[in-house]
């Protein structure tokens, strides 16, 4: 077997169980992985220098095909309402078949860290069938110093074989696509999906399982820090604005998607960014645009001119979920340590597809916990297989697909930290106004940025607030530079009766969704539920 690159010779592919491999290329950097990807026709180099690949039918994650081994470790600790089970024997058969499928193949291996805080990080080894997948995860996780690779011993191993198709009867899974996690063996198997985001989210899911026991809150959020050390967190699902809003020209970016909050403050789980590219422009998002147009960036499903190879970020013919993966240091104002102090502000981002939530609202601690557990947003086309358009979604803790433990556990840790550090919490609607999705317009990004800036710099504390009659939170009555009507959602609708009907419908959805949490939260959180405070006209 041919082996190239720096590695721990005493802990190679054979130690995991691989036999008969054609080759293993270890810890290669971007130039070498470019060569392999282009030679194998996996990807194309486009204008600006990025490597552009297509992911086939899987243009987003496949959460329904994610399975967790049920054993002594997980039976009483995993949130089985949100996770599918696979037996140890089925997983063992799946692993054997993965190893057999790999025989004769060339694999690419990366040894990386998940977590910028050395106390809590996990050593991750990722074997991939595709060179561009190896580059993708190398750019997104934290790269050890080259001197560390000779002694690297993984604590989590991920095997990513897009050409492997599971057998539902043989392996006890749902379809030919599989993401199978064994927390006891610390092994993750990914088959029949070329969507590279599955690899990244598998690491996140693993940290979500182990860190709460250490007093660390794992969070699906972006984070940045101001010049005075004030940290802000931005919770939200894909497409709600985490990456865009955290890339603030006046603040240092800690990370754009996954963080931990521990005794010493906030730390990034990753070493890169995974930005949505659809409608990306130099004018609206100059730093992200620049990062997508340079060597080392991986573009997913971005359409480009076959003659000039110029990317067309406005083309959504393959998917709206076009993506760019690039190292954090591609951003000019990115933290080199990936660490900062405790947050001063938390912002929950919702892309309200009903168009009835105001652009910003101040939350009490109880309301913050209610909205964190509710996780109301909209799933945007392409982020999951088979999803088209936008659907209203209650995604617990703004990250239900990645939560192995019961949501109340995460809620309790977060509430403790919010209380201990006296954090201000806000709900920001980056979705629609003036009507439901398809009728109204997307909330103006300039207005969202201005309101978020006001929350972070403290200027919103000086404006007058009113109580929203449908949701009960506090909303600014007026803010300099913001269209007055935006702060009063009903005024943006032509049909006021339709607004009232729609808002009441959403309030009812909140109440119905929260029933499953009522036994696990205090009375003040239950009383924070939206409740219509006006009579119908």
């Amino acid at each position: 077997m041919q082996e190239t690159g720096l590695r721990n010779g005493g802990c190679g592919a054979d130690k995991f169980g691989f036999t008969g491999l054609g080759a293993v290329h270890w810890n290669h950097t971007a130039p070498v992985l470019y060569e392999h990807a282009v030679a194998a026709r996996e990807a194309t180099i486009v204008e600006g220098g990025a490597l552009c690949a297509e992911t086939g039918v899987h243009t987003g994650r496949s959460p329904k095909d994610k399975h967790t081994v049920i054993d002594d470790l997980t039976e009483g600790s995993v949130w089985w309402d949100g996770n599918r089970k696979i037996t140890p024997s089925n997983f063992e058969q799946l692993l054997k078949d993965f190893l057999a499928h790999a025989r004769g193949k060339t694999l690419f291996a990366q040894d990386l860290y998940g977590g910028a805080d050395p106390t809590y990080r996990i050593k991750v080894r990722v074997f991939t069938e595709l060179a561009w997948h190896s580059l993708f995860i190398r750019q997104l996780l934290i790269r050890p110093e080259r001197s560390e690779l000779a002694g690297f011993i993984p604590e989590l191993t991920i095997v990513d074989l897009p050409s492997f198709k599971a057998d539902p009867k043989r392996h006890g899974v749902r379809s030919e696509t599989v993401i199978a996690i064994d927390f006891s063996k610390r092994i993750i198997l990914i088959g029949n999906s070329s969507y590279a985001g599955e690899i990244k989210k598998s690491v996140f899911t693993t940290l979500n399982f182990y860190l709460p026991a250490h007093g660390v809150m794992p969070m699906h959020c972006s984070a940045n820090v101001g010049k005075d050390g004030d940290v802000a967190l931005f919770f939200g699902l894909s497409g709600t604005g985490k990456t865009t809003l955290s890339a603030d020209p006046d603040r240092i970016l800690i990370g754009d998607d996954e963080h931990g909050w521990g005794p010493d403050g906030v730390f990034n789980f990753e070493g890169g960014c995974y930005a949505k590219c659809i409608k990306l422009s130099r004018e609206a998002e100059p730093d992200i645009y620049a990062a997508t147009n340079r060597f080392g960036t991986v573009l997913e499903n971005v359409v480009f001119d076959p003659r000039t190879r110029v990317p067309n970020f406005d083309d959504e013919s393959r998917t709206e979920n076009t993506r760019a993966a690039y190292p954090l240091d591609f951003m000019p104002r990115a933290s080199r340590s990936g660490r900062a102090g405790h947050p001063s502000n938390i912002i929950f981002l919702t892309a309200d597809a009903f168009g009835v939530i105001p652009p910003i609202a101040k939350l009490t601690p109880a309301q913050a916990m209610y909205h964190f557990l509710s996780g109301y947003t909209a799933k945007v086309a392409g982020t999951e297989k088979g999803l088209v358009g936008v659907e209203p979604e209650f995604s617990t803790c703004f990250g239900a697909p990645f939560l192995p433990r019961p949501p109340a556990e995460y809620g309790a840790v977060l509430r403790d930290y919010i209380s201990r550090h006296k954090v201000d919490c806000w709900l920001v609607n980056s979705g629609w106004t003036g009507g439901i999705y398809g009728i109204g317009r997307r909330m103006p990004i300039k207005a969202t940025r201005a309101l978020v800036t006001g929350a972070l710099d403290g200027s919103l504390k000086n404006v007058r607030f009113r109580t929203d009659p449908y949701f009960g939170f506090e909303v600014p009555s007026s803010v300099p530079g913001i269209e007055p009507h935006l702060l009063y959602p009903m005024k943006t609708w032509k049909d006021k009766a339709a607004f009232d009907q729609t808002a009441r419908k959403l309030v009812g959805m909140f109440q119905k969704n929260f029933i499953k949490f009522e036994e696990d939260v205090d009375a003040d959180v239950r009383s924070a539920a939206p409740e219509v405070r006006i009579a119908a006209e």
Side-chain angles (χ1 to χ4, degrees), residues 4-6 25-37 51 108-110 112 131-132 134-136 138-139 143-144 146 149 295-296:
T4 64
L6 292 175
H25 299 300
W26 293 88
N27 296 305
H28 282 319
T29 56
V32 180
L33 292 172
Y34 264 61
E35 290 176 355
H36 281 285
L51 188 68
F108 300 86
Q110 293 287 339
L112 302 160
W132 80 264
S134 190
L135 178 60
F136 169 92
R138 178 180 178 82
Q139 304 298 53
R143 296 163 293 284
R146 302 287 283 178
L149 296 176
F295 183 87

Side-chain angles (χ1 to χ4, degrees), residues 317-432:
S317 58
R318 289 189 189 136
T319 176
E320 286 189 21
N321 193 37
T322 55
R323 294 278 184 166
Y326 48 86
L328 198 60
D329 58 20
F330 278 18
M331 299 296 284
R333 284 169 294 278
S335 168
R336 294 299 178 259
S337 69
R339 302 170 67 181
H342 297 285
S344 303
N345 288 276
I346 289 177
I347 292 172
F348 300 126
L349 296 166
T350 176
D352 175 29
F354 287 107
V356 296
I357 290 181
I360 194 166
K362 182 76 166 61
L363 304 178
T364 66
Q367 288 172 333
M369 198 48 44
Y370 184 94
H371 284 279
F372 175 70
L373 289 174
S374 297
Y376 170 65
T377 187
K379 290 190 292 187
V380 182
T383 55
E384 292 182 8
K385 182 184 177 184
L387 180 63
V388 294
V390 175
E391 294 180 0
E393 171 76 358
F394 288 91
S395 184
T396 305
C397 305
F398 295 96
F402 324 118
L403 302 183
R405 293 187 177 275
E409 289 190 25
Y410 302 103
V413 178
L414 183 63
R415 186 174 189 179
D416 177 60
Y417 274 120
I418 288 174
S419 174
R420 192 184 310 173
H421 299 285
K422 297 179 173 58
V423 183
D424 288 330
C425 299
W426 309 82
L427 182 70
V428 170
N429 176 17
S430 60
W432 284 261

Side-chain angles (χ1 to χ4, degrees), residues 211-289:
L211 289 183
H214 298 282
V216 175
M217 175 65 193
M219 304 174 294
H220 188 211
C221 71
S222 60
N224 62 25
V225 57
K227 60 183 179 180
D228 296 325
D230 57 302
V231 176
L233 305 180
F234 301 80
F235 284 85
L237 290 192
S238 299
T240 56
K242 294 193 311 299
T243 299
T244 297
L245 292 172
S246 58
D248 188 317
D250 297 318
R251 298 171 67 84
I252 297 297
L253 177 67
I254 304 169
D256 83 325
D257 195 40
E258 302 167 3
H259 292 80
W261 185 0
D264 298 324
V266 171
F267 63 96
N268 195 356
F269 285 170
E270 301 183 302
C273 298
Y274 194 34
K276 287 200 73 174
C277 295
I278 198 67
K279 311 300 182 187
L280 180 66
S281 71
R282 180 185 284 110
E283 294 72 28
E285 300 174 83
D287 290 343
I288 296 175
Y289 185 88

Side-chain angles (χ1 to χ4, degrees), residues 41-56:
R41 297 186 178 180
E42 297 174 5
T44 303
I45 302 172
V46 296
E47 178 69 24
L51 188 68
C52 189
E54 295 182 38
T55 64

Side-chain angles (χ1 to χ4, degrees), residues 178-190:
V178 63
I179 303 94
I181 303 174
D182 189 325
F183 285 120
S184 295
K185 294 182 177 180
R186 297 198 175 195
I187 296 172
I188 299 176
L189 306 174
I190 303 172

